[in-house]
Amino acid sequence: MNAHIDITNVTLTTPRLILRPWKETDAADLYEYASVDGVGQMAGWNPHQSLEESRDILARFIRGRHCFALEHGGKAIGSLGIDEYNEEDYPELDSLQGRELGYVLSKAYWGQGLVPEAVQTVVRYLFETVRLDFLLVAHYAWNRQSRRVIEKCGFAYVKTVERETRYQTVEPSLEYILRRPERGAEHRSARA
């Protein structure tokens, strides 16, 4: 089942990023990367058409309290959401606590390993601090960059489902899971 998530007072750091809650002053940064053709489409949404549209989406991020801004060099360059997953698709997980990750990154920073760095940090936080049992993540079949991130982060393929995008198409979505390691399994693998 979907766990309650609130990152209002959470800040995480990686060697190159600060993951923090979004602020109203991030609107121009969000618009700068979200208005670029090819960025949103990778995640199933159209480029932002105006700063006002970015402000509206930013307000949703802030109200929702489950989406990190990825800050690099004092600027928001992407986001990493801890979203609700579709529980109807995973009845076998009803007794467990989990969420689905989603991420987007400014095109100017693609190919630098920043998203795997951010995802791995959030995974550690969600498993070690929040104590979620599992995390899901998905990518559209043609999105090879997301597939590489998912593979680097250790998620295992579960199934392919048809998902409606925000631009009114239906696309095959490959879905993956990562389960929280058992404490005993961590110790066994450390001795092996």
Side-chain angles (χ1 to χ4, degrees):
M1 75 175 51
N2 281 295
H4 174 74
I5 297 293
D6 183 344
I7 63 153
T8 302
N9 297 309
V10 178
T11 299
L12 306 173
T13 59
T14 77
R16 298 178 289 170
L17 296 169
I18 297 171
L19 286 72
R20 58 163 174 81
W22 285 91
K23 304 177 286 195
E24 289 180 13
T25 55
D26 292 322
D29 290 348
L30 175 58
Y31 178 68
E32 183 177 329
Y33 76 77
S35 63
V36 173
D37 191 45
V39 173
Q41 291 96 323
M42 299 299 266
W45 46 269
N46 286 318
H48 293 190
Q49 298 300 307
S50 68
L51 182 58
E52 192 56 41
E53 180 181 1
S54 292
R55 280 191 182 109
D56 290 344
I57 290 167
L58 179 60
R60 278 190 262 152
F61 287 167
I62 293 168
R63 273 193 317 273
R65 297 180 291 205
H66 59 79
C67 186
F68 286 106
L70 306 182
E71 182 181 311
H72 179 71
K75 180 178 190 171
I77 62 164
S79 66
L80 198 159
I82 308 166
D83 303 316
E84 291 189 354
Y85 70 97
N86 185 341
E87 292 178 350
E88 291 178 12
D89 288 346
Y90 292 94
E92 68 276 18
L93 300 175
D94 282 350
S95 64
L96 303 173
Q97 295 284 309
R99 280 289 186 129
E100 181 171 354
L101 300 181
Y103 44 82
V104 66
L105 185 69
S106 167
K107 205 178 231 186
Y109 295 90
W110 287 4
Q112 298 178 31
L114 291 170
V115 173
E117 191 175 302
V119 168
Q120 289 165 349
T121 299
V122 169
V123 165
R124 266 192 309 279
Y125 166 72
L126 292 172
F127 283 165
E128 294 173 8
T129 303
V130 180
R131 304 296 295 163
L132 294 186
D133 298 306
F134 68 91
L135 291 165
L136 298 169
V137 68
H139 68 86
Y140 293 113
W142 40 264
N143 186 341
R144 284 174 277 174
Q145 290 101 317
S146 279
R147 186 184 73 225
R148 284 195 299 271
V149 168
I150 291 165
E151 290 168 352
K152 287 178 185 177
C153 294
F155 286 78
Y157 173 79
V158 178
K159 60 184 167 183
T160 300
V161 298
E162 298 292 316
R163 294 276 183 231
E164 186 172 341
T165 67
R166 291 190 178 111
Y167 44 85
Q168 314 310 309
T169 64
V170 176
E171 306 281 344
S173 175
L174 285 73
E175 304 205 351
Y176 301 76
I177 193 168
L178 183 64
R179 295 176 185 272
R180 184 179 72 220
E182 298 288 331
R183 183 58 64 192
E186 291 172 3
H187 293 300
R188 281 194 300 277
S189 64
R191 283 182 265 151

